[in-house]
Amino acid sequence: MNRLGTATSPYLLQHADNPVDWWPWSEEALAEARRRDVPIVLSVGYAACHWCHVMAHESFEDAETARLMNQNFVNIKVDREERPDIDAVYMTATQAMTGQGGWPMTCFLTPQGEPFHCGTYYPPQPRPGMASFRQLLGAVAQAWQDRREELREGAGRILQELAKQTGPLPEAAVDTRVLADAVVKLAADADRERGGFGGAPKFPPSMTLEFLLRHHERTGSAEALSLVDECAEAMSRGGMYDQLAGGFARYSVDADWVVPHFEKMLYDNTLLLRVYTHLARLTGSPRALTVARATAGFLLERLGTDEGGFAASLDADTQGVEGLTYVWTPEELGVVLGADAEWAVRLFEVTESGTFEQGTSVLQLRRDPDDTQRFERVRRALLAVRDERPQPGRDDKVIASWNGLAITALCEAGAALNEPRWIDAATRAALAILDIHVVDGRLRRSSRHGQVGEAAGVLEDYACFADGLLALHQATGDTRWLSEATKLLDLALERFADNGAPGAYHDTADDAEALVQRPSDPADNASPSGASALASALATASVLVGSDRAAAYRDAAEQALTRVGQLAVKVPRFAGNWLAVAEALATGPVQVAVVGVDPEAWSQLRTTAARLVPGGGVVLAGEPDSAPLLAQRPLVDGAAAAYVCHGYVCDRPVTSPDALEAALAR
């Protein structure tokens, strides 16, 4: 029976025609396992995942493997992007049992959903130290017949142990000393030769870089800025960055940023757009500016949906081959470029032996071209040919939290780089999420082609989308966005708080579907944790709302920070967004309220503020009293004026861009 055919998840739809009798996650699936008294195979992945495709082809499309699965198990397929709550519960179990995690994730559960054996990818044939998937299926089925109670008892012990490990962290301050120490620890972990942190594989440390930029702005730390410069330069020069069309792949498989894992995720590109925008406005770096503009173009041109939102990702594979769309040989460049080919081969480091697989190379740009017009001619020619090649699949579901990140990035970049069309795109995305994802006053996680999914929004959805709406309020001056943001924040504070540990939050609402554990992970990873995103939105909202709610929002943000003090001290790379929030609070956050009679009167002041306000700061322009931040802030002698405040302390208003620049420099 095809139970996946009507799913809103492209990942589930990829498996709809498997011979495996898949169920989506549901109470009906668990009830079927209880009725048959058989264990559950839980397979978790996502549409752009290369090894998910490999295991699907090797195992889930194989008739004999499917027979074993159907005969002995109830088989459940989950899109981790659509159900991050399920993914979080069983990924924690997988990491506890195996010491590592990843996707595809393969877990064996009791009919009650308790995990008793977990892993990731399993091959179709045995390998040294690794059983084949069929062998594993047979062993688990036999163990269920012979040692059922033992497996149940073991699953219970696993959950008890996980409950101990995943409880709220003790309270600890995140003060200026912790922020300074975090820079020292990050510097010790930095790869000063190749850029970035740690060894291969290298992931873009977007939120860590945002923290370091904010720390530099507050303290003047040359060390913090150099860490950002080195990493941002290296990432944009290697193959992880698309030298033809902009946008970043998920990670580099090597330490030199040469070969990417080719999937392109919405969240990576939104977070990196913020980093390169802020680096460009801080340093004037031409490279950072180029990358920021191209990344914004990638979001709009490659990930935009008809409904106005942004799609989740582009696949790592094309026609089952990883990177097929993107790689080149010297001969191919010769055919496309003619007389420009030899120059392009050297510039992009396309070698005869190849930098990737089977003699192909990923394009790199380790130095600026000596002829920019020639480079642009070559880039356009190669991109035109590449666009005629088979293209990677697109996971076109719309995720609320990731669209919130996109709205924030496009608003900040649009304001700082004077690109109003990016703000227009952010507005369309916000309208799409509000129109499609808000059902009976609650936020849903995902949609596809305008059809909303059933999965409830998790904390990161409420928090990231609220943060995006607050950015949109600043970019447009429209108070509707502030009102919608505060509704989400108030609901998050009410429904997601851990009432037994002030400042801690669960990732699911108190009335959400009950899983074997209620997930609660404060660590920042590839994207902000729900709790850190909430703290960020609360800190911003605290200076945008009226005085009746400002103190409550700030207190909630500060209290949330105390729950990650130990995390920030021990592993700052997994607390990047938290540290960025702490930097914003340490500077106030800085607020610039620009008042005038019309946009023409205040435009220069607003442009100056958007370019110079520290990261995490707030800029709002409009007529006096048109928004809470602009209340009781009159014109000065009939002229537009800017009011600069740090926390609860305000400077005298200024009326010229030069005076505003001086005030922000102080």
Side-chain angles (χ1 to χ4, degrees), residues 501-522:
Y505 291 88
H506 295 286
D507 292 327
T508 54
D510 56 6
D511 58 351
E513 176 189 357
L515 304 174
V516 292
Q517 273 195 324
R518 190 177 177 192
S520 179
D521 185 359

Side-chain angles (χ1 to χ4, degrees), residues 604-605 608 612 655-662:
Q604 285 188 312
L605 290 172
T608 300
L612 297 175
T655 57
S656 72
D658 288 345
L660 177 56
E661 185 168 346

